[in-house]
Amino acid sequence: MRSLTFAAAAAVAVLAGACTPPAAKVETRADAPVLPACRDDGPRLADTEICAIDFGAFATVADGPEPSLEPGCSWVINDALIGAGDLAILYRANSCNGVTTKLAWRNDAPNGDVFETETSAMHGDAAKGFEILRVIPAPAGEAGKAAVLEKARATTPDKAEAAACEVRPALASDWPKDVFVIDVSPSFAAKDPKYKEVYTACGPLGIDVGQATYWRLSQGHAWRFMLGQEAPDIDPRSVTLVRKGADGAWVAVE
């Protein structure tokens, strides 16, 4: 798993060569169904073909402040398919100067589904391929938090640290209201100076104090966001899991 400190990654990014082969021509089947125009005559999302204007019919944006945007940027709706394509996520994506953030799915069993940055409006090529979101099945409420804690402890190499890990509220004022982190207890942290100021703890699913890294519970899943140090590429309040029915229509997962 790779996580990203964007400022450092940008410093070592390598520019692509000038001899990039031309993109393959996409053939359109003559018998492909023609979808009706969206009710605002606006765009359909690339993967699910859901009308962008219908995002509100699927998503319930969580409580909390809207993430800040850099000048010239705006929020647009985007999607990403999961596996064979009967599941997908919808999300508000950062779009800047003609570049819109796009996520790509990767299976990372047994530790959930990962969404990596395919295109980053904020960070360009430096962010490509880095994990921004991880999703694991988990019930709602305290049982879900306990499930996340158990998985984090199981993946923490230092067993003493693992035993000290606990669910703690995330108190940053600009994060969604329902987020939490997995961190060592204050009494354990007080015994070791490495847990002062900027640190990581509780393994690959635990806290990263230097970045906006936290968990949310919704739709029968736990969502781990890793959004870097600057304005984020996605709005974590908005990410919504949808499923395609037998009739081809998409519905939000309950």
Side-chain angles (χ1 to χ4, degrees):
M1 181 190 73
R2 297 188 294 169
S3 61
L4 178 62
T5 300
F6 292 119
V12 299
V14 179
L15 293 177
C19 298
T20 303
K25 182 179 179 180
V26 177
E27 299 292 340
T28 302
R29 287 176 45 195
D31 60 346
V34 178
L35 295 172
C38 296
R39 54 192 172 90
D40 64 342
D41 291 326
R44 289 183 178 272
L45 304 182
D47 292 347
T48 59
E49 297 185 324
I50 291 171
C51 290
I53 194 175
D54 292 334
F55 174 73
F58 297 91
T60 300
V61 177
D63 289 339
E66 180 174 274
S68 61
L69 289 170
E70 296 293 328
C73 298
S74 62
W75 293 114
V76 301
I77 308 305
N78 215 337
D79 61 356
L81 293 178
I82 300 173
D86 290 335
L87 287 169
I89 59 169
L90 310 180
Y91 53 95
R92 297 175 79 204
N94 203 339
S95 185
C96 306
N97 302 313
V99 178
T100 297
T101 294
K102 173 69 174 173
L103 303 185
W105 170 83
R106 172 172 62 83
N107 182 272
D108 194 32
N111 294 319
D113 294 294
V114 168
F115 292 89
E116 300 173 333
T117 306
E118 181 175 292
T119 306
S120 169
M122 278 298 301
H123 310 289
D125 289 344
K128 187 176 178 63
F130 283 88
E131 178 179 333
I132 195 170
L133 175 63
R134 179 179 293 267
V135 189
I136 61 175
E142 295 305 313
K145 294 178 180 179
V148 172
L149 175 60
E150 180 181 5
K151 187 169 284 289
R153 284 175 169 171
T155 54
T156 301
D158 184 323
K159 297 309 176 187
E161 180 178 280
C165 294
E166 61 183 25
V167 174
R168 299 181 62 187
L171 301 177
S173 61
D174 57 344
W175 292 356
K177 299 299 185 183
D178 59 353
V179 302
F180 64 96
V181 296
I182 305 298
D183 194 1
V184 293
S185 67
S187 59
F188 184 85
K191 300 174 184 177
D192 193 327
K194 76 177 182 181
Y195 298 111
K196 306 297 183 184
E197 298 180 359
V198 177
Y199 66 89
T200 61
C202 301
L205 304 182
I207 194 170
D208 183 343
V209 175
Q211 303 194 51
T213 300
Y214 47 75
W215 290 88
R216 292 189 61 230
L217 294 173
S218 69
Q219 297 182 281
H221 291 77
W223 308 73
R224 185 177 191 250
F225 295 89
M226 304 175 67
L227 301 179
Q229 301 170 325
E230 304 168 14
D233 267 317
I234 64 170
D235 180 352
R237 307 171 307 153
S238 69
V239 181
T240 301
L241 185 64
V242 295
R243 174 184 288 114
K244 184 190 291 186
D247 59 356
W250 291 93
V251 295
V253 172
E254 296 183 356

